[in-house]
Amino acid sequence: MPKQEAFSNRWGIILASLGMAIGAGNLWRFPRLAGQYGGAFILLWILFLLVWSIPILLAEFSIGKKYKKGVIGAFAALMGENYAWTGFFVTICTLGISFYYAVVTGWGLQYLGFSIKTLYFEITEDTSLSTQLASNPNYLEDYWKHISNGNILTVILYASVILLGTFILVKGIQKGLEKANKILIPSLFILLIIITGIALNMENGIKGLEYMFTIDTSLFADPKIWIEALSQSAWSTGAGWGLMLTISAYSRNKEDVTLNTFIGAFGNNTASLMAAMAVLPAVFALSASDEQAISYLQSGNQALTFTIIPKLFAEIPGGSYLAVIFFLAFFLAAFSSLLPMIELFIKNITDLGIGRKNAAFTAAIIAIILGLPSAWYLDFFSNQDWVWGIGLIITGLLFVFAAFKNGIISFKKDFIDADSDFKVPNLYFVVAMSFNAVLGIILIYWWMSQGYSANPWFDKDGNWNLFDMYSNASIITQWGAVFLIGFLTNKYLYKKFTTPKL
C-alpha cells in the first residue's frame, strides 16, 4: 500500500483550512449582509459559528484524520457497508458546487483583467471608466450581461483556472497545495488590509464601519436575520462540505483536531470581517446617502461585486488602482477555495488505486465538461447554485448523523479528543450537534418556502416544474437522482472504496 502524503507541519494544514474557507462569499455575500443588518447580524453569525460550524468541522476533521481517505471512503469506513451512499451524496453535492464555482473564479480573473485594462487606458489615453459611464450609464451592466451568457472568453478562463489548479495539485500536497497556500493566503490578507486602509480613509468611510457594528436589537425579532446568519456561517466556513475531511486526510497522525479546527474557523471569520471593513466603508463613502448605500447592499451578490463596486470606485481619484487590488483579492480568495474542491475530486479517485497524475487529469476533464453549462448560461449557473447551495445543509446533517450513529460521546472521545490538547466540553458538543439536527431541517424548509419560484412544484399546466431555475421541483429531482444512484450503487461503492489497494 503506497505511503500517504502529509502536510509538512501544522501551518501547512492551517493555511489549507483557511484557503478552503476563505472564498468569494467572504467578499461578496458577508459584506452585503453585514451592511443590511449591522451588528445584530454579526452577533448571530458568531453564535452560529459556535453552534453549527465548529461542531461539524470538528467531526469532519477527525474523520479525515482517522481514515486518511477521501469523502466516500471515509464515510464507508466509518458508517459501515449500508451507508457508503452518505459519502457519495456529500461528494456529488460539493463537486456540483465546484463545477460552477470555477466559473466564479473565472469571472474574478476576467474582472481583474478588465480593471487592469481600464487602468492602462486611464494612464495612457486619459480615458477613465467614469467617462465611459457618463456616455453610457449601463456600461457595467451591459459588460456583466456580455460575459455571463454565451461568452467564449468566460469559458476559456473558467477552464484555465481548473487547469491551473490541477497543475498545482498534481505536484502533491507539500509541493502543490501547501506551497500555493503559503503564497495565496498571506497575499489575500495583505490585499484586504490595503483595501481596508484606503476605504476607512475616505470621507464618510467611517459611516460604513459604524453601521456594521451598530446593534439594532429590534432585528432579533425578524426570523430572516437568524436564517441569513446561520446560512452564512454554514456556507462560508465550509462546514459539511467534505473539504475539511479531505484536507485532514493529509494531516499528521498526532495532529490536534480541536486547535486546528478553531484556528481555521475563526481565521475565516476574521477574513470576513476584514472584507466587510473594506467594502462597507467604500460603499457608504461613495453613495449619495445612507439609504442609497443600503439599497446597493440589497442588490445581490453578483450586482454588488461586478457592477456597483466598480462604479463606485470609478468616482474617486485612484479608484482604478483600488479596483485592481479588489479584484485581485477576489480572484485569490476564489482560487484558494477552488483548490481543495479539486483536491476532493482527486482524492476520491486516488482512493480507487489510480495514480495521482491520472486522477488529476480525469478530475480536470470532468470538471471542465460538467461546468460548461454554468459558464455559458447564467440561468443554469443560478440553478446549480440554488440546488447544491441548499444541498450543503443536507451534507452537514449527514456529518451530524455520522457522529450520532457512532455514539456521540464515544465519537468525540475516540475521534476528536484523541490527540487534542484543547478539548471542548462534552455537553457543548452533544447539545450543539443535537440542536443542529433540528436547525438543518428548519433551514432547508425555510429556503424552499421563500417563493423564489412562482410555481415551486408544478407549472401552470400542472406539469412537474423541473426546469424552473428556483423551483423546489428542480431541487428535489436533482437531490433525488443523486440519492437514488447512491442507494443503487451502495454495495459497489463500499467494496471499491474500502478494499485495500496495493
Side-chain angles (χ1 to χ4, degrees):
M1 186 175 179
K3 184 180 178 181
Q4 173 78 37
E5 190 180 3
F7 288 99
S8 62
N9 53 45
R10 173 169 290 172
W11 276 109
I13 199 166
I14 288 174
L15 289 174
S17 301
L18 289 173
M20 174 273 292
I22 301 170
N26 295 75
L27 275 79
W28 73 358
R29 192 173 192 272
F30 179 80
R32 176 173 64 81
L33 293 172
Q36 283 182 247
Y37 299 110
F41 168 81
I42 292 175
L43 282 180
L44 293 177
W45 168 69
I46 294 173
L47 171 66
F48 287 122
L49 172 72
L50 297 171
V51 173
W52 174 275
S53 300
I54 286 179
I56 292 176
L57 287 171
L58 285 169
E60 267 203 66
F61 195 111
S62 65
I63 294 170
K65 172 177 174 283
K66 174 79 171 180
Y67 293 108
K68 306 296 185 185
K69 293 178 178 288
V71 178
I72 299 176
F75 265 88
L78 172 69
M79 302 282 279
E81 60 182 347
N82 294 324
Y83 294 96
W85 60 267
T86 55
F88 179 76
F89 185 88
V90 174
T91 298
I92 297 302
C93 182
T94 302
L95 290 182
I97 290 172
S98 72
F99 298 149
Y100 71 77
Y101 193 82
V103 179
V104 176
T105 311
W107 287 341
L109 189 57
Q110 193 149 350
Y111 270 85
L112 175 60
F114 173 81
S115 301
I116 292 172
K117 184 176 72 172
T118 299
L119 177 60
Y120 173 78
F121 283 123
E122 185 175 309
I123 294 172
T124 60
E125 300 182 14
D126 199 26
T127 302
S128 66
L129 180 57
S130 60
T131 304
Q132 292 173 305
L133 287 170
S135 60
N136 178 13
N138 295 319
Y139 176 73
L140 287 168
E141 287 82 355
D142 293 342
Y143 181 76
W144 166 243
K145 291 176 183 177
H146 172 65
I147 72 161
S148 59
N149 280 289
N151 185 273
I152 294 295
L153 181 58
T154 296
V155 173
I156 293 172
L157 291 176
Y158 115 86
S160 297
V161 297
I162 292 175
L163 292 174
L164 176 60
T166 304
F167 174 77
I168 292 171
L169 293 172
V170 79
K171 297 176 182 293
I173 297 303
Q174 290 188 20
K175 295 181 179 179
L177 182 60
E178 184 175 336
K179 192 172 182 179
N181 281 324
K182 286 179 179 178
I183 299 171
L184 291 172
I185 304 307
S187 298
L188 174 59
F189 274 96
I190 290 170
L191 291 172
L192 288 176
I193 291 171
I194 292 172
I195 300 171
T196 302
I198 295 172
L200 289 176
N201 280 287
M202 293 178 183
E203 186 177 355
N204 294 324
I206 199 68
K207 278 188 178 181
L209 213 57
E210 291 172 351
Y211 190 87
M212 175 179 167
F213 290 109
T214 297
I215 300 173
D216 181 355
T217 55
S218 66
L219 289 173
F220 291 129
D222 181 1
K224 188 174 182 180
I225 188 176
W226 291 77
I227 295 294
E228 292 282 21
L230 173 56
S231 300
Q232 178 62 25
S233 183
W235 291 332
S236 179
T237 58
W241 295 42
L243 297 177
M244 183 66 92
L245 185 157
T246 302
I247 290 169
S248 63
Y250 300 106
S251 64
R252 296 170 299 169
N253 291 330
K254 295 295 183 180
E255 201 66 68
D256 190 314
V257 172
T258 308
L259 180 61
N260 284 322
T261 299
F262 270 78
I263 291 174
F266 279 96
N268 168 73
N269 276 31
T270 300
S272 292
L273 288 171
M274 290 176 66
M277 291 169 66
V279 173
L280 291 182
V283 172
F284 273 84
L286 301 173
S287 300
S289 64
D290 291 354
E291 290 73 22
Q292 186 184 60
I294 298 300
S295 69
Y296 282 156
L297 293 167
Q298 293 173 340
S299 61
N301 298 339
Q302 295 162 7
L304 175 65
T305 305
F306 298 130
T307 59
I308 292 171
I309 286 179
K311 187 180 295 184
L312 292 174
F313 286 166
E315 297 176 5
I316 61 171
S320 297
Y321 293 93
L322 188 56
V324 170
I325 296 172
F326 175 81
F327 283 110
L328 177 58
F330 183 90
F331 169 71
L332 293 180
F335 187 66
S336 71
S337 289
L338 181 63
L339 288 177
M341 294 182 191
I342 299 173
E343 180 58 40
L344 180 146
F345 202 174
I346 294 172
K347 179 59 176 168
N348 277 289
I349 297 174
T350 58
D351 281 353
L352 296 173
I354 297 173
R356 187 170 184 85
K357 287 185 179 180
N358 289 334
F361 177 76
T362 301
I365 296 300
I366 294 174
I368 289 172
I369 293 172
L370 296 183
L372 182 59
S374 293
W376 196 254
Y377 301 106
L378 183 59
D379 284 353
F380 190 88
F381 172 98
S382 299
N383 171 262
Q384 294 300 284
D385 186 26
W386 179 242
V387 171
W388 301 118
I390 298 178
L392 288 174
I393 308 303
I394 291 183
T395 64
L397 289 174
L398 289 175
F399 278 97
V400 174
F401 173 58
F404 275 103
K405 184 180 181 299
N406 285 270
I408 190 72
I409 296 296
S410 298
F411 176 85
K412 179 177 179 292
K413 178 183 177 182
D414 298 337
F415 284 74
I416 297 173
D417 293 345
D419 296 302
S420 296
D421 295 326
F422 163 49
K423 299 179 177 65
V424 298
N426 288 346
L427 181 63
Y428 159 72
F429 188 70
V430 172
V431 171
M433 292 294 262
S434 302
F435 197 45
N436 286 344
V438 178
L439 276 179
I441 296 170
I442 292 173
L443 198 56
I444 293 169
Y445 172 79
W446 190 89
W447 279 110
M448 292 180 67
S449 64
Q450 289 308 292
Y452 291 108
S453 170
N455 302 289
W457 297 104
F458 299 93
D459 62 22
K460 294 178 180 178
D461 299 322
N463 299 312
W464 186 245
N465 199 15
L466 172 61
F467 297 105
D468 187 301
M469 192 185 343
Y470 295 116
S471 73
N472 293 341
S474 182
I475 294 174
I476 295 301
T477 301
Q478 293 180 66
W479 288 357
V482 175
F483 274 123
L484 181 60
I485 294 171
F487 291 148
L488 293 177
T489 61
N490 183 74
K491 289 185 178 180
Y492 174 81
L493 290 171
Y494 180 80
K495 182 178 179 181
K496 294 294 290 184
F497 283 92
T498 58
T499 303
K501 306 300 184 296
L502 299 177

